[in-house]
């Protein structure tokens, strides 16, 4: 069993904190459902502003609220307005991550979704592993090419291009 990314909220902004509340993070339920975060699931939180890294569990906030509220001790690690990354994990075999196709939401400064990304791991014809990253944003600047792949295997032209690169 290995640990893999299960889903991610990238660049979501902290909208509040409740220091005297029992620990957790409250996140807009619509965001959670879209990337597969479950209530009470443990997640890793990485603060892009301070470098702080913590883990806590998810509480669903009101759908459509765009909320991201750190509770309890977690409230000490982030300030309102900080940009954070929230990632869930799964433990499994390679086949599990191939089947999952983890989803990522990317946010603007107002917690509006500006991109939806899918990570797709697959086996190449020789059996080795590879992956594609599918973004809804053409010519994104994330450092990976935008690919639109349907099915579990990319077209041979994609494999041929990767072999040349």
């Amino acid at each position: 069993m290995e640990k893999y990314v299960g889903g991610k909220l990238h660049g979501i902004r902290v909208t509040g904190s409740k220091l005297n509340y029992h620990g957790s993070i409250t996140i807009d339920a619509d965001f959670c459902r879209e990337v597969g975060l479950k209530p009470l699931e443990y997640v890793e939180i990485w603060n892009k502003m301070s470098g702080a890294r913590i883990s806590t569990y998810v509480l669903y906030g009101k759908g459509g609220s765009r909320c991201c509220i750190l509770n309890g001790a977690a409230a000490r690690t982030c300030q309102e307005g900080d940009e954070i990354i929230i990632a869930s994990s799964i433990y499994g075999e390679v086949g599990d991550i191939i089947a999952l196709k983890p989803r990522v939401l990317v946010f603007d400064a107002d917690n509006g979704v500006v991109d939806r990304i899918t990570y797709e791991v697959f086996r190449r014809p020789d059996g080795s592993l590879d992956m594609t990253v599918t973004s809804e944003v053409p010519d994104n600047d994330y450092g990976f090419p935008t690919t639109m792949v349907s099915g579990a295997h990319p077209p041979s032209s994609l494999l041929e291009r990767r072999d040349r690169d």
Side-chain angles (χ1 to χ4, degrees), residues 73-90:
R76 295 257 189 225
T77 66
C78 300
Q79 301 294 314
E80 192 169 320
D82 281 0
E83 188 176 352
I84 64 174
I85 300 166
I86 302 168
S88 68
S89 301
I90 65 162

Side-chain angles (χ1 to χ4, degrees), residues 79-155:
Q79 301 294 314
E80 192 169 320
D82 281 0
E83 188 176 352
I84 64 174
I85 300 166
I86 302 168
S88 68
S89 301
I90 65 162
Y91 290 89
E93 304 297 330
V94 170
D96 298 319
I97 200 66
I98 288 171
L100 180 62
K101 298 179 180 81
R103 295 172 311 264
V104 178
L105 296 181
V106 180
F107 295 89
D108 65 16
D110 296 317
N111 285 351
V113 175
V114 295
D115 198 4
R116 288 172 171 81
I117 296 171
T118 302
Y119 299 145
E120 186 171 356
V121 176
F122 61 92
R123 290 202 181 273
R124 296 170 58 107
D126 68 2
S128 64
L129 292 175
D130 205 341
M131 71 179 291
T132 60
V133 180
T134 304
S135 168
E136 290 184 352
V137 175
D139 302 319
N140 63 59
D141 63 356
Y142 305 128
F144 52 79
T146 302
T147 54
M148 293 299 184
V149 177
S150 61
H153 302 282

Side-chain angles (χ1 to χ4, degrees), residues 61-73:
K62 181 179 177 186
S65 67
R66 299 183 178 189
C67 70
C68 178
I69 303 165
L70 289 153
N71 304 309

Side-chain angles (χ1 to χ4, degrees), residues 10 14 18 20-21 28 62 91 97 104 116 143-144 157:
H10 190 95
V14 175
K18 295 181 181 176
N20 295 318
Y21 189 78
D28 181 315
K62 181 179 177 186
Y91 290 89
I97 200 66
V104 178
R116 288 172 171 81
F144 52 79
S157 61

